[in-house]
Amino acid sequence: MVLLIDIDAQANSTFATGLVKFVLEEDDDLKDANVAHLLLSGDLDFIPDLRRKSQLFNDPEIDVIPSHINLIEVQEKLNQIAVSRTRLPMKLKQVENDYDIVLIDAPPSRDLYAQLPMIAADYLIIPSDLKPFANQGLPNVKNFVKDINEYRISIGKGELKILGVLPSKISTNPKYLANTFPKQKQAVIDKYDLPVFDTIISERVALSHCADATVTVGDLEIPNPQSIFKYDPNSPSAQEFEVLAGEVLEKIGA
């Protein structure tokens, strides 16, 4: 079983897993039960209370703790409560026998909502297009992980392990792949001393189409995103993600 926890207020993962099946605000069924509630209380709103099945996303469907824009509203309150940093690990501990893998989607920032997943997780994957501006941000990521590890050790957790930088949204242009890409990849290894995944997630039309799929209900067009495995299981993109899953499992010794 897989659990996905979305701690990014943009809620892209929540959307991608089919849980935003509404276009009008009054139909929003996520605002009263989402990841903000998981983080706000130590006594209520545990994972079994808040998890939902993804909708027409994959076979089998996965469990999801959805995100919501109201995460922004509660950030200041969570920042004022020191114990909020240990709630997610505590609540995950309660369901550790329910899941084989827990994926936590964190925002690309250094704020509280990036801290919480890194405190709770065992491993970190850094998606990057490997372009110069992205690479220049890698020292900040390493320093952030160093600070997080200091906190983790203070609460009795082991250090967060960086599994590697994952080449993502990579052009399929043959000249780029033959000349520029290898240099960008090697720069991450040599200059920033970070491992890089062998798997490459390429920028392909199928990935955009599976995320942007819709269905017409009456006179409304409702979002109907699907995983690439359901949308086009024989596509190169599906094969890349299958290879990625194998590489991740190998790296974590599963």
Side-chain angles (χ1 to χ4, degrees), residues 88-89 92 102 104 116-124 152 157-161:
L88 183 56
L92 281 170
V102 178
I104 308 176
L116 298 180
M118 294 172 72
I119 291 169
D122 296 317
Y123 306 99
L124 175 66
R152 287 170 64 101
K157 289 180 66 72
E159 291 188 351
L160 177 70
K161 181 179 179 181

mmCIF file of all heavy atoms in Angstrom, residues 88-89 92 102 104 116-124 152 157-161:
data_model
loop_
_atom_site.group_PDB
_atom_site.id
_atom_site.type_symbol
_atom_site.label_atom_id
_atom_site.label_comp_id
_atom_site.label_asym_id
_atom_site.label_seq_id
_atom_site.Cartn_x
_atom_site.Cartn_y
_atom_site.Cartn_z
ATOM 1 N N LEU A 88 3.834 15.072 12.669
ATOM 2 C CA LEU A 88 3.796 14.206 11.496
ATOM 3 C C LEU A 88 4.542 12.891 11.747
ATOM 4 O O LEU A 88 3.986 11.818 11.460
ATOM 5 C CB LEU A 88 4.365 14.922 10.280
ATOM 6 C CG LEU A 88 4.326 14.151 8.960
ATOM 7 C CD1 LEU A 88 2.913 13.707 8.614
ATOM 8 C CD2 LEU A 88 4.906 15.003 7.830
ATOM 9 N N PRO A 89 5.764 12.905 12.300
ATOM 10 C CA PRO A 89 6.407 11.623 12.618
ATOM 11 C C PRO A 89 5.581 10.766 13.580
ATOM 12 O O PRO A 89 5.498 9.544 13.416
ATOM 13 C CB PRO A 89 7.732 12.043 13.264
ATOM 14 C CG PRO A 89 8.006 13.402 12.735
ATOM 15 C CD PRO A 89 6.663 14.042 12.561
ATOM 16 N N LEU A 92 2.621 9.298 11.658
ATOM 17 C CA LEU A 92 3.082 8.273 10.722
ATOM 18 C C LEU A 92 3.452 6.990 11.454
ATOM 19 O O LEU A 92 3.226 5.884 10.943
ATOM 20 C CB LEU A 92 4.277 8.791 9.931
ATOM 21 C CG LEU A 92 3.967 9.734 8.775
ATOM 22 C CD1 LEU A 92 5.237 10.357 8.226
ATOM 23 C CD2 LEU A 92 3.218 8.995 7.669
ATOM 24 N N VAL A 102 5.590 5.581 2.000
ATOM 25 C CA VAL A 102 4.903 6.859 2.204
ATOM 26 C C VAL A 102 5.679 7.917 1.429
ATOM 27 O O VAL A 102 6.882 8.089 1.621
ATOM 28 C CB VAL A 102 4.832 7.249 3.691
ATOM 29 C CG1 VAL A 102 4.159 8.615 3.841
ATOM 30 C CG2 VAL A 102 4.077 6.195 4.491
ATOM 31 N N ILE A 104 5.948 11.964 0.539
ATOM 32 C CA ILE A 104 5.547 13.277 1.047
ATOM 33 C C ILE A 104 5.973 14.332 0.036
ATOM 34 O O ILE A 104 7.160 14.459 -0.280
ATOM 35 C CB ILE A 104 6.177 13.576 2.424
ATOM 36 C CG1 ILE A 104 5.924 12.429 3.403
ATOM 37 C CG2 ILE A 104 5.616 14.879 2.982
ATOM 38 C CD1 ILE A 104 6.591 12.614 4.763
ATOM 39 N N LEU A 116 8.874 20.206 7.766
ATOM 40 C CA LEU A 116 8.105 19.106 8.358
ATOM 41 C C LEU A 116 8.301 17.782 7.625
ATOM 42 O O LEU A 116 8.526 16.749 8.273
ATOM 43 C CB LEU A 116 6.620 19.483 8.418
ATOM 44 C CG LEU A 116 6.280 20.695 9.288
ATOM 45 C CD1 LEU A 116 4.782 20.960 9.272
ATOM 46 C CD2 LEU A 116 6.769 20.498 10.721
ATOM 47 N N PRO A 117 8.223 17.734 6.293
ATOM 48 C CA PRO A 117 8.471 16.463 5.602
ATOM 49 C C PRO A 117 9.880 15.943 5.820
ATOM 50 O O PRO A 117 10.094 14.735 5.957
ATOM 51 C CB PRO A 117 8.238 16.806 4.125
ATOM 52 C CG PRO A 117 7.405 18.024 4.136
ATOM 53 C CD PRO A 117 7.808 18.787 5.351
ATOM 54 N N MET A 118 10.856 16.850 5.876
ATOM 55 C CA MET A 118 12.243 16.420 6.028
ATOM 56 C C MET A 118 12.539 15.940 7.442
ATOM 57 O O MET A 118 13.451 15.144 7.656
ATOM 58 C CB MET A 118 13.178 17.558 5.608
ATOM 59 C CG MET A 118 13.071 17.870 4.119
ATOM 60 S SD MET A 118 13.966 19.343 3.601
ATOM 61 C CE MET A 118 15.649 18.771 3.726
ATOM 62 N N ILE A 119 11.774 16.399 8.396
ATOM 63 C CA ILE A 119 11.889 15.873 9.755
ATOM 64 C C ILE A 119 11.271 14.478 9.842
ATOM 65 O O ILE A 119 11.785 13.597 10.532
ATOM 66 C CB ILE A 119 11.205 16.827 10.762
ATOM 67 C CG1 ILE A 119 12.001 18.139 10.874
ATOM 68 C CG2 ILE A 119 11.071 16.172 12.143
ATOM 69 C CD1 ILE A 119 11.274 19.234 11.627
ATOM 70 N N ALA A 120 10.197 14.264 9.101
ATOM 71 C CA ALA A 120 9.466 12.997 9.202
ATOM 72 C C ALA A 120 10.034 11.892 8.322
ATOM 73 O O ALA A 120 9.924 10.715 8.654
ATOM 74 C CB ALA A 120 7.994 13.225 8.839
ATOM 75 N N ALA A 121 10.634 12.250 7.189
ATOM 76 C CA ALA A 121 11.023 11.269 6.174
ATOM 77 C C ALA A 121 12.340 10.576 6.521
ATOM 78 O O ALA A 121 13.106 11.024 7.372
ATOM 79 C CB ALA A 121 11.129 11.942 4.817
ATOM 80 N N ASP A 122 12.600 9.479 5.816
ATOM 81 C CA ASP A 122 13.887 8.789 5.925
ATOM 82 C C ASP A 122 14.826 9.175 4.789
ATOM 83 O O ASP A 122 16.052 9.147 4.950
ATOM 84 C CB ASP A 122 13.672 7.269 5.893
ATOM 85 C CG ASP A 122 12.868 6.777 7.083
ATOM 86 O OD1 ASP A 122 13.135 7.228 8.205
ATOM 87 O OD2 ASP A 122 11.949 5.956 6.879
ATOM 88 N N TYR A 123 14.240 9.521 3.635
ATOM 89 C CA TYR A 123 15.036 9.785 2.440
ATOM 90 C C TYR A 123 14.514 11.018 1.724
ATOM 91 O O TYR A 123 13.336 11.359 1.826
ATOM 92 C CB TYR A 123 14.977 8.592 1.476
ATOM 93 C CG TYR A 123 15.363 7.273 2.097
ATOM 94 C CD1 TYR A 123 14.381 6.377 2.526
ATOM 95 C CD2 TYR A 123 16.697 6.914 2.245
ATOM 96 C CE1 TYR A 123 14.724 5.157 3.099
ATOM 97 C CE2 TYR A 123 17.056 5.695 2.816
ATOM 98 C CZ TYR A 123 16.061 4.821 3.237
ATOM 99 O OH TYR A 123 16.405 3.611 3.803
ATOM 100 N N LEU A 124 15.418 11.666 0.978
ATOM 101 C CA LEU A 124 15.070 12.858 0.212
ATOM 102 C C LEU A 124 15.454 12.667 -1.248
ATOM 103 O O LEU A 124 16.580 12.267 -1.561
ATOM 104 C CB LEU A 124 15.795 14.087 0.765
ATOM 105 C CG LEU A 124 15.626 15.397 -0.019
ATOM 106 C CD1 LEU A 124 14.180 15.883 0.039
ATOM 107 C CD2 LEU A 124 16.572 16.468 0.526
ATOM 108 N N ARG A 152 16.917 16.694 13.821
ATOM 109 C CA ARG A 152 16.526 15.282 13.886
ATOM 110 C C ARG A 152 17.313 14.546 14.976
ATOM 111 O O ARG A 152 16.757 13.752 15.740
ATOM 112 C CB ARG A 152 16.738 14.613 12.523
ATOM 113 C CG ARG A 152 15.736 14.999 11.460
ATOM 114 C CD ARG A 152 16.172 14.492 10.088
ATOM 115 N NE ARG A 152 16.201 13.041 10.043
ATOM 116 C CZ ARG A 152 15.264 12.269 9.499
ATOM 117 N NH1 ARG A 152 14.203 12.830 8.949
ATOM 118 N NH2 ARG A 152 15.378 10.967 9.474
ATOM 119 N N LYS A 157 16.140 11.061 16.124
ATOM 120 C CA LYS A 157 16.008 10.445 14.805
ATOM 121 C C LYS A 157 17.359 10.437 14.109
ATOM 122 O O LYS A 157 18.203 11.286 14.346
ATOM 123 C CB LYS A 157 14.992 11.209 13.938
ATOM 124 C CG LYS A 157 13.549 11.035 14.370
ATOM 125 C CD LYS A 157 12.605 11.818 13.481
ATOM 126 C CE LYS A 157 12.556 11.314 12.056
ATOM 127 N NZ LYS A 157 11.864 10.028 11.924
ATOM 128 N N GLY A 158 17.552 9.449 13.233
ATOM 129 C CA GLY A 158 18.772 9.416 12.447
ATOM 130 C C GLY A 158 18.773 10.508 11.386
ATOM 131 O O GLY A 158 17.778 11.209 11.178
ATOM 132 N N GLU A 159 19.887 10.661 10.715
ATOM 133 C CA GLU A 159 19.998 11.697 9.706
ATOM 134 C C GLU A 159 19.154 11.369 8.470
ATOM 135 O O GLU A 159 18.972 10.208 8.112
ATOM 136 C CB GLU A 159 21.463 11.874 9.285
ATOM 137 C CG GLU A 159 22.336 12.469 10.378
ATOM 138 C CD GLU A 159 23.723 12.825 9.876
ATOM 139 O OE1 GLU A 159 24.065 12.453 8.729
ATOM 140 O OE2 GLU A 159 24.468 13.483 10.618
ATOM 141 N N LEU A 160 18.639 12.414 7.841
ATOM 142 C CA LEU A 160 17.928 12.290 6.573
ATOM 143 C C LEU A 160 18.953 11.976 5.483
ATOM 144 O O LEU A 160 19.967 12.661 5.349
ATOM 145 C CB LEU A 160 17.204 13.593 6.246
ATOM 146 C CG LEU A 160 16.459 13.673 4.915
ATOM 147 C CD1 LEU A 160 15.228 12.773 4.931
ATOM 148 C CD2 LEU A 160 16.053 15.124 4.624
ATOM 149 N N LYS A 161 18.695 10.951 4.703
ATOM 150 C CA LYS A 161 19.621 10.554 3.649
ATOM 151 C C LYS A 161 19.149 11.105 2.302
ATOM 152 O O LYS A 161 17.996 10.922 1.928
ATOM 153 C CB LYS A 161 19.728 9.032 3.562
ATOM 154 C CG LYS A 161 20.703 8.555 2.495
ATOM 155 C CD LYS A 161 20.806 7.037 2.453
ATOM 156 C CE LYS A 161 21.776 6.592 1.357
ATOM 157 N NZ LYS A 161 21.873 5.106 1.278
#
